[in-house]
Amino acid sequence: MSLTIVEVREAAERLGEYDSVIDARSPGEFAEDFLPRAENWPVLDDGERRLVGTLYKQVSALHARKVGAALVARNVAQHIERHVADKPREWRPLVYCWRGGQRSGSLAWFLSQIGFRTQQLAGGYKAFRNLVREDLDVLPVRLEFHVLAGRTGSGKTRLLQALREQGAQVLDLEALACHRGSVLGGLPNQPQPPQKRFDTLLWQALRALDPARPVFVESESQKVGNVRVPDALMLRLREHGRCTVVEMDEAARVELLLQEYGFFAADPERFCRLIDGLVELRGRDTVQHWQRQARAGDWAGVFAEMMREHYDPLYLRSMDRHFRHLAQAPRLALRDGGDESLEAAARELLSQA
């Protein structure tokens, strides 16, 4: 029998050593965010948790604990039957709940009674969330960022991928956010993570980077879809990042956008609904014109006009405001968004890093 309490910083440093990381919270809590590698063994499901909370408030703490204990015992028994039968004696789980209290304590106690070397996270997910927020304030300062700037459709995201394939360190904020960062940036069938989940994914990504090597990242607004990039990272990118401006001629940019956003051809009404959000900026007549083009299948025309009249002016204003030395930044010309051009550009960037 072995049950120990572990502090959050120690647990975070040793996450890879645990055989399992077990989240005893309800599925609803788990969906919002969870520790890396965690699997959900809810000690109380969402409905049961609400029931026990209501009994605490409306009846008494004693009655709520009686009901809660019976529910917990049944659920823990089911988890043990379902998940533990094949576990060897040496299995080492880390168990946590919201605050490191009764839910994780109950599950951890049963596992320790079986004989597993079980650890319970002190402070639970709440302590982990505080650690993530603290680290996101300090981790960016340790890193040297090379920022790829450039207008919409100039191939920055593809260039990041080419850099990664050639062994460079890359921080892909759009991939973490499941969003391309514009009004059209939502990815088909890929909902964005909640903010807390995005923060944890970013925390993992930053911790994995080597401060001794440069990190390539794309210039982004602070909001990437519905999630927000932490202030410390944005400040590091804007004030200390080494910028390279990626350039591509308009025809090649349009072709790249046709490839990246070709899925709208199957659902032009979705495209039209999304750009309704541009009426305030560009006027109803302009937006309705773009909608007519989309419905008529003139995707090259609508993308070209939106680049010139919407995205390029926004980009220039934003970059001039946030990257003070952009005018002196080196330029990198991409012929197109094809593999050959991207590989050559990645090699050039790496030779200069």
Side-chain angles (χ1 to χ4, degrees):
M1 178 177 69
S2 176
L3 173 59
T4 57
I5 307 298
V6 60
E7 296 298 323
V8 66
R9 179 65 66 180
E10 180 183 353
E13 296 297 332
R14 297 173 50 197
L15 277 174
E17 299 177 16
Y18 296 105
D19 295 310
S20 298
V21 179
I22 301 172
D23 187 321
R25 298 176 302 158
S26 69
E29 294 171 288
F30 184 80
E32 191 173 45
D33 187 35
F34 48 87
L35 270 66
R37 299 180 50 236
E39 50 190 300
N40 192 203
W41 296 16
V43 168
L44 295 173
D45 66 24
D46 295 308
E48 292 165 344
R49 182 167 171 256
R50 284 192 296 270
L51 171 63
V52 172
T54 300
L55 293 175
Y56 264 104
K57 293 178 180 179
Q58 297 183 359
V59 183
S60 71
L62 177 62
H63 184 64
R65 283 195 292 268
K66 290 177 181 177
V67 173
L71 292 170
V72 166
R74 281 195 289 269
N75 290 334
V76 169
Q78 291 175 5
H79 291 310
I80 290 174
E81 291 173 346
R82 185 178 302 124
H83 301 295
V84 175
D86 63 342
K87 298 295 188 288
R89 178 185 293 274
E90 297 76 22
W91 183 61
R92 297 180 58 211
L94 172 69
V95 184
Y96 71 92
C97 60
W98 166 236
R99 286 183 295 193
Q102 293 180 343
R103 287 187 288 174
S104 59
S106 299
L107 178 56
W109 182 84
F110 273 103
L111 294 175
S112 70
Q113 290 294 307
I114 294 171
F116 299 122
R117 291 180 296 164
T118 306
Q119 292 199 342
Q120 181 185 359
L121 183 63
Y125 171 81
K126 185 177 181 182
F128 172 73
R129 174 65 180 164
N130 289 337
L131 179 144
V132 167
R133 295 176 67 179
E134 291 170 5
D135 282 359
L136 288 177
D137 283 338
V138 298
L139 288 173
V141 179
R142 305 172 184 174
L143 299 168
E144 176 192 347
F145 289 103
H146 288 226
V147 181
L148 303 183
R151 305 183 188 203
T152 297
S154 57
K156 302 184 296 296
T157 301
R158 291 188 180 189
L159 182 53
L160 276 186
Q161 295 166 354
L163 284 161
R164 176 181 279 132
E165 289 170 1
Q166 294 193 27
Q169 289 196 124
V170 166
L171 178 64
D172 192 339
L173 295 171
E174 292 185 358
L176 296 177
C178 291
H179 200 281
R180 292 194 176 110
S182 72
V183 68
L184 302 176
L187 303 179
N189 303 314
Q190 294 186 48
Q192 283 199 265
Q195 181 68 49
K196 290 180 181 178
R197 186 70 196 137
F198 173 75
D199 290 346
T200 295
L201 294 171
L202 179 58
W203 175 82
Q204 287 182 261
L206 290 172
R207 278 168 49 91
L209 296 170
D210 180 359
R213 300 171 57 211
V215 180
F216 291 89
V217 62
E218 186 176 345
S219 62
E220 297 287 352
S221 300
Q222 184 134 32
K223 290 291 293 293
V224 185
N226 293 323
V227 299
R228 189 175 189 274
V229 179
D231 291 341
L233 178 55
M234 292 305 299
L235 181 65
R236 186 67 177 172
L237 297 179
R238 290 172 175 175
E239 296 294 327
H240 301 282
R242 291 175 52 187
C243 284
T244 297
V245 179
V246 182
E247 297 180 331
M248 187 185 291
D249 68 34
E250 182 175 297
R253 290 168 64 201
V254 170
E255 178 58 33
L256 187 147
L257 291 175
L258 288 170
Q259 295 171 18
E260 296 290 336
Y261 294 93
F263 56 85
F264 279 122
D267 189 3
E269 290 307 314
R270 176 169 176 255
F271 174 90
C272 292
R273 289 193 299 271
L274 288 171
I275 66 172
D276 269 335
L278 301 179
V279 168
E280 185 175 346
L281 283 174
R282 300 300 165 213
R284 185 164 299 280
D285 289 346
T286 297
V287 170
Q288 288 180 341
H289 167 64
W290 292 338
Q291 290 170 332
R292 287 193 294 272
Q293 286 179 295
R295 291 180 175 119
D298 182 13
W299 293 103
V302 71
F303 286 147
E305 289 190 22
M306 289 184 70
M307 280 194 323
R308 290 191 298 266
E309 299 175 29
H310 175 65
Y311 286 112
D312 288 357
L314 280 181
Y315 162 79
L316 292 172
R317 286 198 298 271
S318 175
M319 296 302 289
D320 287 344
R321 184 168 64 249
H322 295 303
F323 291 86
R324 290 176 296 175
H325 306 295
L326 191 68
Q328 291 77 44
R331 264 54 181 171
L332 177 66
L334 279 176
R335 184 178 68 252
D336 53 42
D339 291 344
E340 184 177 338
S341 297
L342 293 165
E343 290 169 5
R347 286 194 297 271
E348 181 177 344
L349 282 172
L350 287 172
S351 71
Q352 301 167 357

